[in-house]
Amino acid sequence: MQKYEYDVVVVGKGNAALCAALSAREHGASVGMLEAASEEESGGNSRFAGGVMRFAYASVEDLRRVTDISDEEAAGSDFGTNTREDYLDTLYRLTSYRTDPELSELLVNSSLDTMAWLRSKGARFILNHGRQSGMVGGKRVYFGNMPIEVNGGGAGLVQYLDAAAKKAGIEVHYETRAQSLLYDGERVSGVRAQHAGKTAEFRAKSVVLACGGFEANPEWRTRYLGPGWELAKVRGTRFNVGDGLRMALDIGAAPCGNWSGCHATGWDRYAPEFGDVNVGDQFQKHSYIFGLLINAEGERFVDEGADFHSFTYAKYGGEVLKQPGQFAWQVFDSKVTKLLRSEYRIKFVTKESANTLEALAPKLEGVNAQQFLKTVREFNAAVRQDIPFDHTIKDGKCTVGLSPSKSNWAQPLDTPPFDAYATTCGITFTFGGLRIDKETGQVLDVHFHPIPGLYTAGEMVGGLFYFNYPSGTGLVSGAVFGRLAGASAAKAAKN
Ligand SMILES: Cc1cc2nc3c(=O)[nH]c(=O)nc-3n(C[C@H](O)[C@H](O)[C@H](O)COP(=O)(O)OP(=O)(O)OC[C@H]3O[C@@H](n4cnc5c(N)ncnc54)[C@H](O)[C@@H]3O)c2cc1C
């Protein structure tokens, strides 16, 4: 059997794992990483991410810790703020006040420092012009409290961190699937893995599990999220099948958080079973706030304009999954065409267009055409005409007397051509994870005692997200908890 030895072994090679590895190395540990995927397919969900990053900032000076902003740019822009209080409020509101108070505070309070740390490791950030801004009164206004994204998206972030890891002398073992923890009943002393059909042992003083949730495992999805979830498409990597969670639970780690919950969005109905790195996140369709969501019965089923997409998109995928046939059409008229995000203009898109609603109706595959036309007529009649439309704010332009109502950005569908996009549910990641010690990132057992030698980070941390999620939090939380776990693992290895 092949045997290796490091101070710290990190399982996975996405954002959280790379941050853990870099942090452990920075604290003087020798580090080996195990990645189930080949080098070509490595990088986890992090590599598929759009790359928006939500962190706390209260001023332009805070943003300048993360990226260069010229005086001219600052004068011509309104970046808004996302104070620690705002960020915490958002997390509490979206999770129905269930987010773990200490975990969410740690995430929020460390978020800006961690962004600056990522920058110090070579990550490059840019202003998020494309997705979250608009010109208002001669100024570029950034809305949604998230004015910065990583250059090159999640793939860019993985590349930057990968380069830093190489420079730091961190060894990566590709096509090496961790299978079990070396555990003598008292402490974890490494990982047993499969490489090229053979077992290999990676001995270590500390192990950091950062190998994702169980989103790519249809059997676990059905078991934990519920019947029907095996039918969801996977937005990202096919390698996150719950291995890390299983390995930890097998030795008595405490499960924590929303095990029946996940992040899932509207996703092209005919997208492949798993993500395609060449398309990245572009199968998503996040501009539904400006149109109508229509199911097979020709009915609406959610308030499309309840909030900015950042605060509803992660739960509306699950709503689409609940509809007959697990699909929904997003329907728009030409008044909003220019507001649709770039993902509506990609080559691989399931789209129908027509110059009248009557001509569009029969083109909506699987939809009751008569009921669709009735739904649109009723919707058009219910729109408040006395409130102006403004996509840069929650404009309150709503419907009256409809169920479900549309609370913002409600405009009649009356201006041809009409475009419709077919979506289904795309699962991003699962919320259930492990319980950790908030000072160290160490995994706790079912009696809440730290398991010596075992740490975790990223999607595997339970207790942060319930029911819903604010966009841009996954990468930042992966970095915050990865950095913490890596530092603690290295310190423990030295003792
Ligand atoms: C399409 C898409 C768009 C997104 N957009 C954004 C965004 O704009 N902003 C944002 O903040 N978040 C976004 N996210 C969410 C974000 O990508 C995740 O929250 C984050 O990347 C999770 O990081 P992680 O390191 O925990 O997991 P991952 O990046 O998934 O890494 C897990 C790693 O573990 C490896 N692995 C799995 N099992 C094993 C095993 N047994 N042995 C060894 N290795 C194993 C995998 O191969 C992978 O390398 C998006 C996600 C997707 C899919």
Side-chain angles (χ1 to χ4, degrees), residues 457-468:
E459 291 176 2
M460 290 187 60
V461 172
L464 263 177
F465 309 120
Y466 292 79
F467 315 122
N468 199 0

Side-chain angles (χ1 to χ4, degrees), residues 460-491:
M460 290 187 60
V461 172
L464 263 177
F465 309 120
Y466 292 79
F467 315 122
N468 199 0
Y469 154 106
S471 65
T473 312
L475 292 175
V476 174
S477 78
V480 165
F481 291 101
R483 187 183 176 200
L484 173 70
S488 309
K491 284 180 205 156

Side-chain angles (χ1 to χ4, degrees), residues 101-390:
E102 290 175 51
L103 279 184
S104 50
E105 269 192 40
L106 179 61
L107 163 63
V108 167
N109 292 343
S110 314
S111 60
L112 177 59
D113 271 351
T114 304
M115 290 295 290
W117 179 78
L118 286 170
R119 188 185 197 186
S120 78
K121 295 290 171 205
R124 290 287 159 257
F125 298 98
I126 53 174
L127 290 170
N128 183 5
H129 278 270
R131 302 184 193 219
Q132 305 266 141
S133 79
M135 293 304 287
V136 180
K139 267 199 167 186
R140 181 162 290 279
V141 176
Y142 291 82
F143 40 91
N145 320 97
M146 208 168 35
I148 285 187
E149 62 184 340
V150 60
N151 189 30
L157 181 63
V158 169
Q159 261 179 28
Y160 290 127
L161 297 179
D162 210 12
K166 277 201 182 92
K167 209 164 135 194
I170 293 167
E171 290 178 14
V172 184
H173 300 260
Y174 290 101
E175 295 180 65
T176 302
R177 179 182 178 192
Q179 290 196 308
S180 58
L181 291 165
L182 303 176
Y183 180 63
D184 61 5
E186 287 180 18
R187 61 169 302 119
V188 168
S189 56
V191 173
R192 191 163 291 122
Q194 276 271 315
H195 173 73
K198 293 216 158 58
T199 302
E201 240 179 47
F202 295 83
R203 297 224 152 244
K205 299 190 183 89
S206 310
V207 171
V208 181
L209 295 173
C211 46
F214 57 88
E215 52 274 2
N217 182 336
E219 195 259 349
W220 276 42
R221 288 205 302 271
T222 316
R223 195 189 315 181
Y224 293 109
L225 307 181
W229 278 97
E230 70 279 21
L231 304 173
K233 309 257 182 189
V234 177
R235 296 181 67 209
T237 180
R238 64 191 170 91
F239 290 95
N240 291 358
V241 292
D243 282 341
L245 294 167
R246 178 187 47 74
M247 285 158 52
L249 296 179
D250 278 352
I251 66 155
C256 178
N258 189 194
W259 273 71
S260 63
C262 69
H263 179 304
T265 76
W267 194 245
D268 193 285
R269 187 176 176 185
Y270 296 112
E273 184 180 1
F274 300 102
D276 174 345
V277 280
N278 297 314
V279 180
D281 65 353
Q282 298 287 291
F283 288 125
Q284 70 201 10
K285 298 287 168 274
H286 286 352
S287 297
Y288 56 85
I289 59 172
F290 300 129
L292 298 186
L293 276 173
I294 300 290
N295 69 12
E297 282 153 3
E299 309 266 15
R300 294 174 54 244
F301 54 94
V302 289
D303 178 349
E304 300 89 343
D307 208 330
F308 285 114
H309 88 273
S310 284
F311 306 129
T312 58
Y313 80 117
K315 63 178 180 181
Y316 279 1
E319 295 303 319
V320 172
L321 191 81
K322 285 184 203 157
Q323 304 311 307
Q326 301 83 43
F327 69 86
W329 285 87
Q330 298 185 3
V331 187
F332 306 95
D333 77 359
S334 66
K335 291 199 296 298
V336 295
T337 307
K338 62 180 180 307
L339 296 180
L340 300 187
R341 294 159 55 104
S342 63
E343 65 238 26
Y344 287 80
R345 291 181 289 281
I346 65 167
K347 202 165 147 197
F348 187 114
V349 66
T350 310
K351 177 182 176 185
E352 294 293 350
S353 300
N355 280 324
T356 62
L357 288 165
E358 289 68 21
L360 183 69
K363 291 185 171 181
L364 304 182
E365 187 191 349
V367 172
N368 177 331
Q370 288 314 311
Q371 181 56 45
F372 162 67
L373 292 171
K374 185 163 177 271
T375 298
V376 177
R377 273 196 303 276
E378 287 170 0
F379 176 83
N380 286 354
V383 170
R384 287 263 307 259
Q385 295 292 1
D386 54 327
I387 302 172
F389 173 85
D390 183 349

